[in-house]
Amino acid sequence: MNNDAILITGSGVISAAGASVSETLQSFSRGERNAGPVTLFRTGLDKPAFEVRNIPQTALLEGQRTLSLTLIALDEALKEARLSDCSGFRVGVCMGTTVASQLNDLDFYKSYRETGAAPLTSVDRFLKGNLAEVIARRLGARGPQLTVVNACSSGTDAIGIALSWLKAGLCDIAIAGGADELNHVPYCGFNSLGIMNPGLCAPFDRDRKGLNLGEGAGIVVLETAGAAKKRGASSDVFLLGYGSSSDAYHLTAPSPEGIGLKAAIKAALDEASISASDIAFVNAHGTGTHDNDLVEGTVLSQMFGPELVMLSTKGFTGHTLGAAGGLEAAFTAAGLREGWVPASAGFSIRDEAIPIAPVSKKTEVHGRFALSTSLAFGGNNAALVFGREGKA
Amino acid sequence: MIVAGIGILFAEGCGVDSLDQALQKGWQPPSPVDAPRAAGNKRLAYQVNFDSVPDKSLLKKIRRADKLSKMAVVAASGALADSGITDIAGKRPAIILATAFGAHVTTFGFLDDILNYGDTAVSPTTFSNSVHNAAASYIASSLDIKAATMTVTQFRFSFFAALQLAQAWLDQKRCDYALVGAVDQYGDVLGYVSGEKLAAAPDGKIKPFVLNPTVHVPGEGAAFFLLSREKAGKAYCSIDAVQIGEEGTRAEKADLNIIAADGMLADESRYASWLSSATPTAAYAPLYGTTMTGSAISVAAGALTLQKQMLYASPVLDNPRGLHLLDATKMTDIDSLCCLDCNCYGEKAAVYLGRT
């Protein structure tokens, strides 16, 4: 890697698949799919979801589940990066989310509409719950702060923006990723769109029937080579490129030609100064909806060839919305480092309409570069390229 | 970076000419708006009226969008039109939309659905419009911009953070233009919350130089800027620096300060510590109301000041602290100005504009 490379010195994750990177990899390896009925709120719907179970009570902040998940992942990422003291560095924080950015507390609103008054506790939590701001204040970080609310690509975009900041010299170290809780409002919303699976999701499968929602947080610590050297930190995994592009097509459907996705991937590859043939595997967005998987699979096949090693980890985590890009960035970096990717959970029957199929078993990967993609509501697309030091 | 074009939609009208006229005309009272659960069923607020949009064809194109998205699209489209730059879609523009509260009105509408009809019978259209990035997506699709399209939120400093990102992206040539703007909407629930937390202006007048105690009048609007690396379009001014959360002395070097004081904080005294008696200060929130992203409108006023070399008097001049105020509208010859904002932690954000 060249001197401009941005090191990934720490990763932290929490999802239904596990409460740390190592726990998650073990869960992936065993092929566990920890979905079940929704228990976090009362609902008239019966679609399964990937909830995070067994969060220690001490880690749960009342009414701030997204923030609680964030801080758990943050703790792991900082420990791996051995970043306990930000003094002497400009540390930026860029986080993606959907739920944490919306004042959508049903009890608050119900009270207001029925009586014309409501306790402002939930409003205060919302106003003090901007993810980037909370992290920055906890750490005493003095660099730029930003919370990205770009729907399902928020986490990927947040990491990409952090890359821009580091390259622009706005900070030396950046904490970036995404987080979202399983929330009643998007649960009803996604169901209204008719894209929730009544069973378990099956990304890229011929008989896929939609997505399962999940929750979690994924955070990476990024730093310039100079900052890492100064701290005595090192890493063999790097963030090399980012691309983002909209389809300008439709609010809820991807462009059939995948125009924005192609542009985002191309931009990420160009920034990384590599070609498509250098990519060892792709951690795809792969939600399990008909349209997403058809468009994404077609684009990946066109750009990387039908033999590409490709998977979706949403069969293990569900679609975690703003967290997805953060989680999948950490999984992609781990895949490069570990030299294997898990089976694309839920996939069993090839869809002849999609000219590529995901891996159906744990698969060794060889190579130095990998790609993670996100497609979002609103037609946004984002891609990140990761690299690993060493021989191909 | 250069401000090549400006689009604006606020209570006093649509477009840069409307802003110029509002700045010249001075303070206008807010309107009573329906507040079914408030005492008297009315609140004062500065609300956008789409009757002021001269060309309704775009609104027709996005008729299913909510008010927040419509305001954003009108302002973004206005910035492109104002620049005079044609075929912008082919010139790698990025869209960066800043908002503090996003589509909260539509979100509460979706909660109405859940409460009224249950989990299984909610409207997909309402849900789609309630997603934070819907407004930016409507901009991309209605203007056919296939490029990075970002929605960001950092409450009071959302717009500043968006400008900071635009600067980085332009410098790194990730885009050739950046269409950057802010939008926020007034709504009944937000009116209730601000009424509970902040003092309402009894006469409808925000008094930005009183600083403590403050009064507020809720507002809404959108302001977008087409930014370029080099001189382009109308080249209103340059954006020389964006500083967030840092102390600095540059404010003393500007020829004019524009503060965003609007009564959003109960105590806005912090502004006074950033101002120099040698430099005149203006504040324009009384024209557009109290809103987290109102700084974008202040920056538009600053850009107009530099381009026209016209100093616009502050519309409300109550000045118990004896600050050096800009109290008369007149021609000028200035090179720089600074737009300042303050968040609830007393931290500063600043945009420095320069004459082109």
Side-chain angles (χ1 to χ4, degrees), chain A residues 226-250:
Chain A
K229 190 176 176 186
K230 195 173 166 187
R231 293 198 312 117
S234 65
S235 176
D236 61 346
V237 184
F238 302 81
L239 177 62
L240 300 175
Y242 163 63
S244 176
S245 184
S246 69
D247 290 334
Y249 175 72
H250 191 271

Side-chain angles (χ1 to χ4, degrees), chain A residues 43 102 124 133 164 271, chain B residues 112 119 130 172 174 197 345:
Chain A
T43 175
Q102 286 192 312
D124 292 335
E133 183 182 297
S164 306
E271 184 174 10
Chain B
D112 277 327
D119 293 0
S130 77
Q172 293 168 358
R174 289 177 192 270
K197 287 183 168 287
Y345 302 100

Side-chain angles (χ1 to χ4, degrees), chain A residues 42-45 90 98 101-106 108-110 112-114 116-118 120 123-124 126-128 130 132-133 137 142 144-151 157 161 163-165 167-168 170 184-186 188-193 242 244-249 251-252 259 271 376-380, chain B residues 37-38 43 95 99-101 103-104 107-116 119-120 122-125 127-134 136-138 140-141 144-155 158 161-162 164-165 168-169 172 174 188-190 192-193 196-197 244 246 292 343-345 347:
Chain A
R42 291 179 62 187
T43 175
L45 299 169
R90 291 198 70 193
T98 64
S101 64
Q102 286 192 312
L103 179 54
N104 62 7
D105 187 300
L106 262 170
F108 160 78
Y109 183 62
K110 188 165 185 274
Y112 174 68
R113 85 176 198 158
E114 286 174 358
L120 297 182
V123 177
D124 292 335
F126 166 72
L127 292 172
K128 297 290 182 189
N130 181 286
E133 183 182 297
R137 289 194 183 282
R142 294 179 298 109
Q145 300 168 22
L146 194 58
T147 295
V148 179
V149 282
N150 233 21
D157 286 315
I161 286 171
L163 177 70
S164 306
W165 287 349
K167 288 191 169 184
L170 289 169
H184 196 165
V185 176
C188 294
F190 276 91
N191 185 67
S192 75
L193 295 171
Y242 163 63
S244 176
S245 184
S246 69
D247 290 334
Y249 175 72
L251 201 54
T252 57
I259 289 168
E271 184 174 10
F377 181 94
N380 201 54
Chain B
R37 297 168 187 90
R43 285 193 197 99
I95 299 168
T99 180
F101 293 110
H104 63 93
T107 297
F108 289 124
F110 189 69
L111 299 192
D112 277 327
D113 269 11
I114 294 175
L115 293 169
N116 292 338
D119 293 0
T120 57
V122 293
S123 158
T125 304
F127 176 67
S128 303
N129 280 291
S130 77
V131 177
H132 245 86
N133 70 336
S137 298
Y138 276 117
S141 58
D144 194 29
I145 294 175
K146 297 179 180 70
T149 300
M150 213 58 54
T151 304
V152 300
T153 183
Q154 209 59 30
F155 288 126
S158 302
Q164 192 179 49
L165 179 61
W169 280 4
Q172 293 168 358
R174 289 177 192 270
D188 181 47
V189 180
L190 208 60
Y192 163 70
V193 171
E196 290 294 297
K197 287 183 168 287
I244 304 174
E246 292 177 8
M292 284 264 193
N343 70 7
C344 63
Y345 302 100
E347 294 163 335

